[in-house]
Amino acid sequence: MSHSAKLHPQKARQFAKHVILRLRKAGYLAYWAGGCVRDQLLGREPKDYDVATDAQPDQIRTLFGRRRTLALGASFGVITLIGPPGAGQIEIATFRDDVGYSDGRHPDRVHFSTAEADASRRDFTINGLFFDPIGREVIDYVGGREDIQRRRIRAIGDPVKRFTEDKLRMLRAVRFSAGFDFQLDPETREAVCRMADQITVVSWERIAAEIRQILTAARRAAGVRLLVDTGLGAAILPELFADERRGAAAGDFEAMLEVLVRLDSPEFPLSLAVLLSLAATPQTARAIGRRWRLANHEINRAAWLLEHRRSLDGADRRRWSSVQPVLVAKAAPDLLKWMQAQREAEGADDADVRWCRDQLSRDRAEIDPAPLLTGDDLIGHGVPKGPIFREILQGVREAQLDGEVHSRREALAMVDRLIARPR
Ligand code: ATP
Ligand code: MG
């Protein structure tokens, strides 16, 4: 995963090539490995470059200098090399095979090994490729090139064994399949379906990180469908997909996917809210968010969206004061994205959504003017603290927004009328 915000693909690529040259000149074997090779063969810009080599961690550090390297992953044989500005960083990993996996997620030990063994310990054939950027040659020990051509996700070796070692791979299979529009190879798919309920041995943080990627990808609807079809959905979100409910809500499920797929570059909380709208109340959404260890601001956003999903419906035909508090909320643009997708999915008129967008494009001071009165003003005016205090304040605010009072003087006159009114 990359840390630098501003990555220049050309610089990253140049640097990744330079690293191979340096290792090669020092007498080591070195290749680009994994995701970057796959992405390149798919015609996609690699997110980052990983290097695999027969140099050992201390040899790598000696070659590139201690100051430019981080040894955080040294126990797994991984050294992080910091590139020049814009080039990002590169993980240089010593060829290894992984041993153990008694916890269903992490290898107990690693053992430095050959390039071929290193390819075989990787998860899917499309992720098991090496590339020599000097000779421009793909090195394929696992049949990954053919699977890229045939557009399929296939576990390296016996899928049941590979998912038993590391259950997270099941979610990765779904993410890659949906993300690239690749089919799951039948045996691999069968193994995911058979073992799906074991996904919960993986930490919720890691599960949520995969779900985040699935839900924010362009092909998120296909991803969610595959999650549900394989049974991973039921294991991760029993609130929504426990068996009995799924049959009953099949129509709702399809309708939700139609909305999900139409969201305009959604951030995670928005996609999540749309998914959870299938069954979850804002409270359930909060419980799910906590279980997945999401950040509070993301939990709050998803819950707010669920709570307000209908709050702007027909906004163009309603009193401004009933619309304005929702429309000026921070998450309103997300809510509008949701409404827009919903209107498109239903072929419904989106006049209210367009009207809301117009309002939001006006000056902030116009749509959200400073209140004419504050709590202090009410106290100064002799209004007793109590339950009516808030109501009065809100009543004045609504009257201000609806253009019924225009000044502090008029607002205070309104307060007088309100307190004087007999009960
Ligand atoms: P992305 O584009 O999402 O980064 P990636 O394939 O680069 O995809 P990473 O998680 O960055 O995925 O991992 C880099 C490589 O390490 C993978 O291509 C794969 O070869 C290997 N790998 C990653 N996670 C696993 C795993 N859980 N089991 C086996 N091999 C893995
Ligand atoms: Mg990667």
Side-chain angles (χ1 to χ4, degrees):
M1 238 172 266
S2 146
H3 298 242
S4 34
K6 276 202 186 142
L7 246 172
H8 296 271
Q10 276 318 311
K11 287 183 187 165
R13 193 180 179 81
Q14 267 316 109
F15 181 54
K17 203 168 158 179
H18 160 84
V19 169
I20 299 294
L21 264 177
R22 279 287 294 279
L23 282 160
R24 205 66 71 73
K25 278 190 187 146
Y28 301 111
L29 262 180
Y31 303 123
W32 291 353
C36 62
V37 182
R38 173 202 68 212
D39 288 347
Q40 171 173 276
L41 290 174
L42 283 169
R44 298 174 167 234
E45 193 72 63
K47 275 196 305 211
D48 41 38
Y49 292 82
D50 294 325
V51 165
T53 177
D54 63 357
Q56 304 229 345
D58 52 326
Q59 296 171 316
I60 297 167
R61 292 202 79 183
T62 304
L63 185 62
F64 291 99
R66 305 224 141 220
R67 282 188 307 128
R68 293 170 61 205
T69 53
L70 302 170
L72 299 172
S75 62
F76 297 101
V78 182
I79 296 292
T80 303
L81 176 61
I82 318 229
Q89 43 190 27
I90 288 183
E91 308 227 304
I92 308 179
T94 308
F95 296 138
R96 67 176 201 249
D97 42 45
D98 297 332
V99 188
Y101 288 105
S102 42
D103 69 350
R105 173 71 189 104
H106 306 99
D108 301 331
R109 278 173 293 126
V110 305
H111 169 256
F112 295 142
S113 185
T114 61
E116 184 166 5
D118 187 73
S120 308
R121 66 145 179 111
R122 293 168 186 270
D123 48 4
F124 304 106
T125 58
I126 64 166
N127 290 345
L129 296 166
F130 297 123
F131 183 70
D132 166 11
I134 316 298
R136 309 202 111 274
E137 187 197 358
V138 175
I139 295 104
D140 182 4
Y141 294 107
V142 294
R145 222 173 349 184
E146 189 191 335
D147 284 336
I148 286 180
Q149 260 152 27
R150 296 205 185 183
R151 307 179 70 80
R152 69 187 172 196
I153 307 294
R154 187 162 60 90
I156 296 174
D158 173 13
V160 171
K161 205 172 135 223
R162 302 312 308 283
F163 295 148
T164 303
E165 289 172 355
D166 178 359
K167 274 119 194 162
L168 183 69
R169 290 170 186 158
M170 295 192 282
L171 269 180
R172 287 172 58 88
V174 168
R175 166 159 69 88
F176 291 126
S177 167
F180 299 142
D181 193 13
F182 277 27
Q183 293 294 308
L184 285 181
D185 187 66
E187 261 186 68
T188 296
R189 186 187 175 101
E190 177 60 36
V192 177
C193 293
R194 174 130 53 102
M195 300 175 64
D197 59 337
Q198 298 176 40
I199 191 63
T200 49
V201 307
V202 176
S203 77
W204 284 108
E205 287 92 334
R206 292 310 312 263
I207 292 175
E210 292 294 323
I211 300 289
R212 170 188 301 273
Q213 293 193 64
I214 290 171
L215 280 181
T216 51
R219 298 182 40 81
R220 51 197 168 267
V224 170
R225 188 187 296 282
L226 193 52
L227 281 177
V228 172
D229 287 349
T230 53
L232 287 167
I236 293 167
L237 281 170
E239 294 91 341
L240 270 62
F241 299 119
D243 287 352
E244 328 83 73
R245 292 183 211 178
R246 203 193 134 198
D252 294 348
F253 181 64
E254 293 302 322
M256 183 278 294
L257 292 184
E258 289 296 326
V259 177
L260 190 65
V261 76
R262 287 177 168 81
L263 295 173
D264 178 13
S265 6
E267 288 179 359
F268 179 47
L270 172 57
S271 287
L272 183 61
V274 170
L275 172 62
L276 297 185
S277 71
L278 260 189
T281 61
Q283 290 85 309
T284 321
R286 287 184 182 282
I288 291 166
R290 281 192 298 270
R291 182 169 83 227
W292 289 4
R293 315 281 192 271
L294 302 185
N296 278 330
H297 72 269
E298 292 194 322
I299 297 177
N300 291 339
R301 168 136 325 182
W304 186 92
L305 288 166
L306 280 164
E307 203 171 327
H308 291 93
R309 57 182 295 210
R310 303 269 173 237
S311 300
L312 293 177
D313 287 3
D316 52 333
R317 287 168 278 117
R318 286 164 38 194
R319 276 171 81 87
W320 174 237
S321 60
S322 77
V323 170
Q324 188 268 2
V326 179
L327 198 54
V328 299
K330 226 176 15 202
D334 272 0
L335 185 53
L336 293 176
K337 283 187 181 182
W338 187 349
M339 290 169 69
Q340 182 74 50
Q342 182 107 38
R343 300 290 183 275
E344 280 172 22
E346 291 167 355
D349 182 21
D350 65 351
D352 51 359
V353 184
R354 282 182 286 117
W355 183 86
C356 285
R357 287 196 203 290
D358 284 349
Q359 299 306 311
L360 270 188
S361 68
R362 288 163 55 197
D363 264 0
R364 195 69 193 179
E366 258 181 74
I367 57 168
D368 196 18
L372 291 172
L373 292 185
T374 65
D376 286 346
D377 293 324
L378 287 198
I379 294 167
H381 200 61
V383 179
K385 280 256 176 191
I388 55 162
F389 195 91
R390 267 180 60 104
E391 271 175 53
I392 290 179
L393 212 53
Q394 187 174 339
V396 173
R397 177 63 171 168
E398 286 172 9
Q400 175 191 3
L401 291 171
D402 290 333
E404 292 159 1
V405 297
H406 304 89
S407 65
R408 198 180 135 79
R409 196 177 49 78
E410 286 179 20
L412 288 171
M414 179 179 171
V415 174
D416 287 336
R417 281 200 306 280
L418 287 172
I419 4 182
R421 194 164 55 195
R423 301 189 162 226

